[in-house]
C-alpha cells in the first residue's frame, strides 16, 4: 500500500497524531514516518495543531520528589556534579540563560541572583551532594514546592538545610530567614514516633569541632514552623551541619542521646 | 503561567543533548507544569501522571539530540512524548472500569474552578483562549465531544463509542470532521505554532 498518497497520508497522520490508530496500524505507520520525511512532517503538522488545544492557563505543579527522583535515576543522588570540560566543580543550580532576547523560565528571571549564591555555597561546601544542592535550589527558587518559607515578595530564606536519612534519601528540609525567629521544617518522609518521643534538631560546626547544640523540638508530621530562641543568624550563623535525633519529650539533653536519624549541611545562601 | 518561549526551550534542549544538567533542570522548570497537566488529563490520577512525567523526562534526557527544531516546536515535541507515554500507561490499565478525578488531585489543578471540569470544558477553554471557539461552533457538540475525549483522555474510537453510546463508525466520522474543522479554523486564524 502506498501510504504517501496525499489524502491517505493526511488521514493516517491525523489519526496517528491524535492517538486513535490501532496498535497494528500505528506500528506500520511508525515505520513509514521513520523512513519518510514527508510522512514525518505530516504527523508533526497535526501534532502542532493539536497542541493548540492545550491552554497554558490551568497547570499543575509537580511534586518536588518527582524532580529529585528523576535526578537520582539519571545521575545518582550521591554523585557530585563536576564540569566535565573544565574539571571544575559546579552545582546543578539553574543558572541564568545567556540569551537576552527571549523569556527565560520564571524561576530564572525571578530568582537569578540565587544562582550566584548557590555557586558561592558550592565552593564553600565542596562536599555538597547533588541531591542537597538540588533541594537547596528548589527551596531558594520555589520554596512553595516544598512547603517551606513562602517567597511572598520578601527576602527569601537565608539558612537552608537539607538532611538525608541513613540510606542517603532526602528526609527533611529546613529554612529560616537570616533575622527571623522561626524555622520552617518539612519532613519529606514519615518518622514513626511513639508517645513520649520528639524529634530534636541539632546544629554544629564541623570545622571547629564544636558539639551539636539543640535548635528546636517538634513532633508534628509534614510542614511546621517552629520558634527559635534567638534570631536564626545567631543560632545558625556559624553552623555547617544539622542533624535530627529522636529524644524523650521529658528530657532536654545537651547533646544527642541517640544516633542521628538524618543529617546534612546547613547552608547560608546569602 | 508564562508560556515557555520556544527559542529558550530550543536552546535548553540543545544544551541538554550535550549532557548539560543545568540546562536540563531549567527545561524541567520551564515545562514540567504543562506536561504534568497533559499527563494528568489523560490519566486522571496524580501518582501515575507524576510517574509518566518522570519517564518522559528520562526519555528527553536520553533523546534530546533527536529533537529537530525545523520539524516541530519544542513544546509540541515534549507534549507528544508525554502524551504518548500517558496514553500507553492508560491503555495498559484499560481494565479499569471507571476513572474518577480524586478531589485532592483536582485541587492541584490551578485556575480550574471545579473538579467537575472534563474534556469538553477543557476543549471549550482552549478554543476560547486561542480565539477559534466561534469558528469551531460550526461542528456539532457530539463532534467536539468525540475530539475532546480522543485528545485529552487518549481514548480510541471504540472507547469513545462506548462512552457516548454511538456506533464506532459514527465516532470515527465525528473525530475526522472535528479535526478537519480544527485545521480550517487554525488556518483561518493563521495559528501554526505553539
Amino acid at each position: 500500500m502506498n501510504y504517501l498518497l496525499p489524502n491517505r497520508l493526511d488521514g493516517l497522520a491525523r489519526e496517528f497524531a491524535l492517538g486513535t490508530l490501532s496498535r497494528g496500524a500505528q506500528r506500520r505507520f511508525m515505520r513509514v514516518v521513520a523512513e519518510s520525511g514527508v510522512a514525518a512532517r505530516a504527523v508533526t503538522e497535526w501534532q502542532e495543531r493539536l497542541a493548540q488545544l492545550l491552554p497554558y492557563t490551568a497547570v499543575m505543579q509537580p511534586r518536588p520528589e518527582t524532580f529529585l527522583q528523576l535526578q537520582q535515576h539519571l545521575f545518582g543522588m550521591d554523585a557530585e556534579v563536576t564540569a566535565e570540560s573544565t574539571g571544575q566543580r559546579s552545582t546543578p543550580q539553574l543558572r541564568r540563560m545567556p540569551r537576552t532576547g527571549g523569556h527565560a523560565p520564571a524561576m530564572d528571571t525571578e530568582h537569578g541572583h540565587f544562582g550566584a549564591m548557590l555557586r558561592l555555597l558550592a565552593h564553600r561546601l565542596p562536599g555538597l551532594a547533588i541531591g542537597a544542592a538540588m533541594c537547596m535550589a528548589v527551596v531558594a527558587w520555589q520554596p512553595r514546592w516544598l512547603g517551606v518559607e513562602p517567597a511572598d515578595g520578601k527576602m527569601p530564606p537565608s539558612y537552608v538545610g537539607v538532611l538525608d536519612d541513613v540510606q542517603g534519601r532526602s528526609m527533611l528540609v529546613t529554612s529560616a530567614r537570616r533575622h527571623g525567629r522561626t524555622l520552617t521544617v518539612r519532613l519529606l518522609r514519615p518518622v514513626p514516633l511513639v508517645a513520649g518521643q520528639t524529634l530534636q534538631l541539632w546544629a554544629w560546626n564541623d570545622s571547629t569541632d564544636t558539639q551539636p547544640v539543640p535548635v528546636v523540638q517538634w513532633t508534628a508530621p509534614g510542614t511546621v514552623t517552629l520558634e527559635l530562641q534567638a534570631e536564626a543568624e545567631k543560632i545558625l550563623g556559624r553552623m555547617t551541619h544539622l542533624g535530627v535525633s529522636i529524644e524523650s519529650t521529658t528530657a532536654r539533653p545537651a547533646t544527642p542521646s541517640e544516633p542521628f536519624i538524618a543529617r546534612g549541611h546547613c547552608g547560608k545562601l546569602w | 503561567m508564562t508560556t515557555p518561549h520556544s527559542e529558550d526551550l530550543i536552546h535548553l534542549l540543545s544544551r541538554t543533548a550535550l549532557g548539560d544538567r543545568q540546562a536540563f533542570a531549567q527545561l524541567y522548570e520551564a515545562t514540567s507544569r504543562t506536561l504534568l497537566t497533559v499527563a494528568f488529563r489523560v490519566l486522571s490520577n496524580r501518582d501515575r501522571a507524576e510517574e509518566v512525567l518522570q519517564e518522559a523526562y528520562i526519555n528527553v534526557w536520553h533523546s534530546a539530540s533527536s529533537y529537530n527544531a525545523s520539524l516541530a516546536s519544542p513544546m509540541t515535541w515534549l507534549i507528544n512524548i508525554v502524551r504518548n507515554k500517558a496514553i500507553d500507561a492508560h491503555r495498559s490499565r484499560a481494565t479499569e472500569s471507571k476513572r474518577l478525578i480524586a478531589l485532592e488531585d483536582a485541587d492541584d489543578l490551578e485556575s480550574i474552578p471545579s473538579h467537575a471540569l472534563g474534556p469538553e470544558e477543557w476543549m471549550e477553554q482552549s478554543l476560547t483562549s486561542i480565539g477559534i471557539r466561534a469558528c469551531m461552533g460550526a461542528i456539532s457538540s457530539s463532534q467536539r465531544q468525540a475530539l475532546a475525549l480522543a485528545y485529552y483522555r487518549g481514548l480510541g474510537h471504540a472507547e469513545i463509542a462506548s462512552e457516548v453510546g454511538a456506533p464506532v463508525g459514527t465516532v470515527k466520522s465525528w473525530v475526522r470532521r472535528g479535526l478537519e474543522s480544527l485545521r480550517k479554523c487554525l488556518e483561518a486564524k493563521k495559528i501554526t505554532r505553539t
Side-chain angles (χ1 to χ4, degrees), chain A residues 22-38:
Chain A
S22 67
R23 284 190 182 230
Q26 197 176 28
R27 274 196 301 273
R28 289 192 293 277
F29 191 62
M30 278 175 76
R31 284 198 291 272
V32 176
V33 170
E35 292 165 3
S36 163
V38 176

Side-chain angles (χ1 to χ4, degrees), chain A residues 158-197:
Chain A
S158 175
Y159 294 101
V160 174
V162 183
L163 284 68
D164 294 342
D165 66 12
V166 290
Q167 278 95 39
R169 301 172 302 182
S170 297
M171 181 176 178
L172 181 80
V173 180
T174 68
S175 74
R177 298 187 199 285
R178 185 189 290 182
H179 298 296
R181 293 185 70 102
T182 61
L183 178 87
T184 304
V185 174
R186 180 164 192 189
L187 274 174
L188 303 174
R189 297 177 183 280
V191 180
L193 293 176
V194 298
Q197 286 185 329

